[in-house]
Amino acid sequence: ADVVIEDEIVLHDGSSSSQAVLEIEDGQTLNGVVRLAGRSGFRNAALRPVTDGTATLGRDGAVVGTEGLLSGAWTSEGLLAPGDDVAPVGLISLSGGDMDMNPTSRVQIAAAGVDDDEFDRIDGSGSLTLDGSLDFGFVDGYIPEPRDQFEIIRATTIDGFFRETSIEPVGSIGPAHVVYTGEAVVIVICAADRDADGELTIFDF
């Protein structure tokens, strides 16, 4: 009835004109690890329900990797983690559907710098309902500067919030905090910049 991957499945395609796709039957729950390893800039590795239905990423399910598409409508009870041990910074693109995160869902994000290609991102279209937990940390010896910002998630609309957040300590310039804009989730290093506009004004109070 449901889909259990006993070993990791890697979707990898080095060609710009083709795509590696894993399709899950509508209404099914996926448990196991799917690694999206498409060619950079082409997002040609994809995980999706077969038609326009909804699939579920189970509690023991994980979508990880350096670059790829998570297409269609999904309910997430498991792990979303762009990047991996080989390439610690990655991009998961949401395409063609909505995603609802359940309380057991987890998002793991790593940053090696402030440029878009230096930190993990989840980016795409559709609506995203947040829940569960967020874990944010730094890799490759990166030390953030005051007022550094990381737009880690973007969608057409974003509702809800992470019930639990764990952000690696940043010393005297912190603590860092999470800002929800309705279209994005932003990690802001400056503790006083409450609205994430990059400036300290009366609106931060």
Side-chain angles (χ1 to χ4, degrees), residues 8-65:
E8 179 178 277
I9 288 183
V10 181
L11 301 178
H12 177 73
D13 201 317
S15 170
S16 62
S17 60
S18 60
Q19 190 175 52
V21 180
L22 176 62
E23 293 186 332
I24 304 300
E25 191 71 28
D26 297 343
Q28 302 304 308
T29 297
L30 170 64
N31 283 296
V33 179
V34 175
R35 184 174 300 276
L36 303 176
R39 184 179 178 190
S40 178
F42 292 95
R43 305 177 189 179
N44 55 348
L47 172 65
R48 67 190 184 204
V50 173
T51 60
D52 293 330
T54 299
T56 298
L57 182 65
R59 294 190 182 194
D60 295 322
V63 177
V64 302

